[in-house]
Amino acid sequence: MSKLWQKETETERSVEKFTVGNDRELDHQLAAFDVLGSLAHTRMLESVGLMDSRDLEQVQTGLKQIFREVQEGKFSIEDDVEDVHSQVELLLTRRIGDAGKKIHSGRSRNDQVLVDLKLFFRSEIQKLVRNTDILFTQLIAQSEEHKDKLLPGYTHLQIAMPSSFGLWFGAYAESLADDMELMLAAWKICNKNPLGSAAGYGSSFPLNRTMTTKLLGFDSLNYNVVYAQMGRGKTERILAQAMSSVAATLAKLAMDACLFINQNFAFISFPDELTTGSSIMPHKKNPDVFELIRARCNKIQALPNEIALMTTNLPSGYHRDLQLLKENLFPAFRSLNECLEMTGFMLQSIRIKEDILKDEKYAYLFSVDAVNEEVLNGLPFREAYKKVGAAIEKGEFKAPDIVKHTHEGSIGNLCNEEINASFKEILKSFNFEKVDKAVEALIR
């Protein structure tokens, strides 16, 4: 197997298989970002005199061709090649000769994989934010569409106070807005350049790390080279925490949907083709999509703890333990994106029951409104509470005819415009355009 670190003796085959693990398969997802890192690194090498202009031209042309092959699905890691870094360098050297062997100067595999991961994480965050934006916009629209349709609110799973579908949809929209605050924090951690930290202790070459930072569209450097290496594991944990927050929102929404579709509630329904049946009970319409969203998102909520346990008590410097983080984190990106997409897809076809609160069992939902009405008429709150309570015990309680909730964020004043403005302001802070322009400049 071709390895950047290989010396004279061959590694025992079983050790080789164990240490490589699933890394080669997962590395395919890093291929485009490995090329981007090398495009920036080699331009920097030429600027500090470690590569001449002729070699740089060959290297840049060769790397851009490999990048196109990755984008077209034509890139693969050969069976006897250890990882994506080795494969890119091998392909380049085959095609342009000795100039390809110069691209590793001033780098270690440690900072090479670090920059690959940072670039990959940025790309995945963009996808998550885009899909969250789509779902958020849908939830706000549905909140407005159904704002006048009331449903029971619950505490302790007991009938509590009047709510509305406007509040229900809007609550999950605002939850996603807060989730994006955490995702923005993860983005800021990911958007710092570790390239040039080498094996974690810098290089005796006169590297220009500020230059590669600008070329790759990073906001700033991981300045301290030891900390740059320490950031591996920490970056993944922070990103997983942000993903976990989105997952928690989706899992709760999915649980509500499973509850509300139940015949004992019957607040919502979906077309038959979006539910599944039973092998023996012909009446069943099961919410399998929401059950799987709930389970997948609960699995993602375990991710920060998994990563924390895998990195706990590691001293500074690189350790092979960190390789395994990919196996936990990489599949979670796809799963969370699919959950965001499927949640939106299902909600597009949601059917909402009309006049839910006309059912007599919901009459006591309005007890608080009745107490408040007495207070507005001059009765002290404790006396009003006792008066309404006594009426309920005697079976003499009459619910108010209308619900009068006008304060910010209530049934009659959803504040969806404010929630939307807050969400859009958070999205502006990601500054994806800067990153996209930097990447475009590198590959053109």
Side-chain angles (χ1 to χ4, degrees):
M1 185 176 286
S2 177
K3 302 179 181 69
L4 295 175
W5 52 268
Q6 190 67 60
K7 298 180 182 177
E8 293 300 321
T9 58
E10 283 293 324
T11 305
E12 172 63 37
R13 194 70 183 167
S14 60
V15 172
E16 179 182 277
K17 182 178 179 181
F18 182 77
T19 55
V20 173
N22 298 323
D23 220 33
R24 293 172 69 257
E25 291 77 11
L26 295 168
D27 267 6
H28 279 90
Q29 297 179 61
L30 298 179
F33 307 103
D34 192 74
V35 175
L36 289 174
S38 292
L39 283 167
H41 182 70
T42 52
R43 284 177 62 176
M44 183 275 295
L45 290 180
E46 190 268 344
S47 75
V48 297
L50 290 173
M51 182 179 288
D52 62 39
S53 58
R54 182 178 176 183
D55 283 347
L56 178 65
E57 183 178 353
Q58 288 183 296
V59 164
Q60 291 278 308
T61 300
L63 286 172
K64 289 174 185 179
Q65 177 59 37
I66 295 171
F67 185 86
R68 287 191 291 271
E69 291 168 7
V70 174
Q71 298 296 90
E72 295 166 2
K74 297 177 181 177
F75 177 88
S76 62
I77 301 174
E78 297 166 26
D79 290 341
D80 61 343
V81 177
E82 183 181 14
D83 54 34
V84 66
H85 325 297
S86 305
Q87 184 67 56
V88 170
E89 188 173 327
L90 180 63
L91 281 177
L92 190 63
T93 303
R94 283 176 184 166
R95 295 174 183 180
I96 69 172
D98 286 347
K101 299 177 181 179
K102 299 179 180 181
I103 70 170
H104 200 61
S105 301
R107 283 194 298 189
S108 163
R109 276 203 309 181
N110 290 359
D111 69 334
Q112 191 170 356
V113 73
L114 271 171
V115 79
D116 289 3
L117 288 169
K118 291 280 189 104
L119 296 173
F120 172 64
F121 294 156
R122 287 194 324 193
S123 176
E124 292 300 315
I125 288 172
Q126 282 190 264
K127 294 175 188 175
L128 289 169
V129 171
R130 182 174 64 245
N131 283 325
T132 302
D133 186 15
I134 292 169
L135 179 58
F136 172 88
T137 301
Q138 180 180 340
L139 288 167
I140 288 290
Q142 289 182 297
S143 176
E144 286 294 319
E145 180 183 354
H146 302 293
K147 63 184 177 183
D148 296 324
K149 296 174 183 174
L150 299 181
L151 80 158
Y154 293 84
T155 63
H156 307 275
L157 272 182
Q158 304 298 304
I159 293 170
M161 291 179 64
S163 182
S164 72
F165 281 99
L167 278 177
W168 187 67
F169 284 114
Y172 285 106
E174 188 170 2
S175 182
L176 289 176
D178 273 355
D179 297 336
M180 289 301 95
E181 294 276 20
L182 291 178
M183 192 64 72
L184 179 59
W187 169 262
K188 290 179 178 179
I189 298 297
C190 291
N191 206 21
K192 295 181 180 180
N193 181 23
L195 191 58
S197 59
Y201 303 98
S203 173
S204 58
F205 289 125
L207 305 178
N208 185 344
R209 299 187 63 212
T210 298
M211 179 179 178
T212 55
T213 298
K214 291 178 179 177
L215 287 172
L216 290 166
F218 286 114
D219 281 339
S220 64
L221 282 157
N222 284 132
Y223 291 101
N224 185 293
V225 292
V226 173
Y227 177 66
Q229 193 57 240
M230 286 165 57
R232 189 166 182 194
K234 181 177 182 178
T235 301
E236 286 89 336
R237 187 173 71 252
I238 292 169
L239 177 51
Q241 287 166 343
M243 293 170 66
S244 173
S245 186
V246 177
T249 297
L250 298 184
K252 188 177 288 289
L253 192 158
M255 180 61 220
D256 276 357
C258 291
L259 201 64
F260 291 174
I261 199 175
N262 176 281
Q263 292 93 332
N264 293 325
F265 290 82
F267 301 156
I268 61 174
S269 62
F270 293 89
D272 289 352
E273 60 269 22
L274 300 185
T275 61
T276 58
S278 164
S279 62
I280 62 171
M281 293 172 281
H283 68 282
K284 293 292 290 298
K285 306 295 180 187
N286 299 322
D288 285 12
V289 171
F290 284 111
E291 290 173 350
L292 289 171
I293 289 170
R294 182 176 61 198
R296 283 197 190 197
C297 288
N298 287 342
K299 186 176 179 182
I300 291 168
Q301 288 183 80
L303 190 58
N305 196 43
E306 290 177 358
I307 292 173
L309 289 173
M310 291 167 72
T311 55
T312 294
N313 295 334
L314 291 182
S316 60
Y318 175 77
H319 310 277
R320 196 66 179 261
D321 314 51
L322 298 167
Q323 172 181 302
L324 298 185
L325 298 180
K326 297 179 192 175
E327 297 185 13
N328 294 60
L329 186 55
F330 282 23
F333 290 121
R334 178 177 177 179
S335 186
L336 185 53
N337 275 312
E338 289 177 347
C339 288
L340 284 163
E341 291 168 357
M342 285 305 300
T343 299
F345 176 76
M346 292 295 290
L347 291 180
Q348 285 176 357
S349 301
I350 193 171
R351 298 166 177 167
I352 293 172
K353 185 178 180 181
E354 302 281 349
D355 299 322
I356 295 171
L357 299 192
K358 287 186 176 179
D359 191 311
E360 289 185 6
K361 66 175 172 282
Y362 298 126
Y364 296 149
L365 278 170
F366 299 93
S367 66
V368 176
D369 293 81
V371 170
N372 291 347
E373 189 70 27
E374 295 285 354
V375 173
L376 288 170
N377 290 330
L379 199 64
F381 179 82
R382 287 302 170 195
E383 291 183 28
Y385 182 92
K386 289 179 181 178
K387 179 180 178 180
V388 172
I392 290 172
E393 288 180 9
K394 294 175 183 178
E396 299 173 354
F397 175 76
K398 284 191 66 176
D401 294 329
I402 58 174
V403 179
K404 301 175 183 177
H405 296 189
T406 59
H407 67 75
E408 299 93 328
S410 65
I411 292 172
N413 185 7
L414 296 175
C415 291
N416 282 335
E417 287 186 13
E418 291 82 354
I419 294 169
N420 187 61
S422 173
F423 183 84
K424 299 305 179 186
E425 192 63 31
I426 297 166
L427 260 57
K428 286 181 186 176
S429 301
F430 283 93
N431 198 12
F432 293 139
E433 296 81 5
K434 174 186 173 183
V435 169
D436 293 340
K437 287 179 182 178
V439 171
E440 181 60 33
L442 275 176
I443 62 176
R444 69 167 176 252

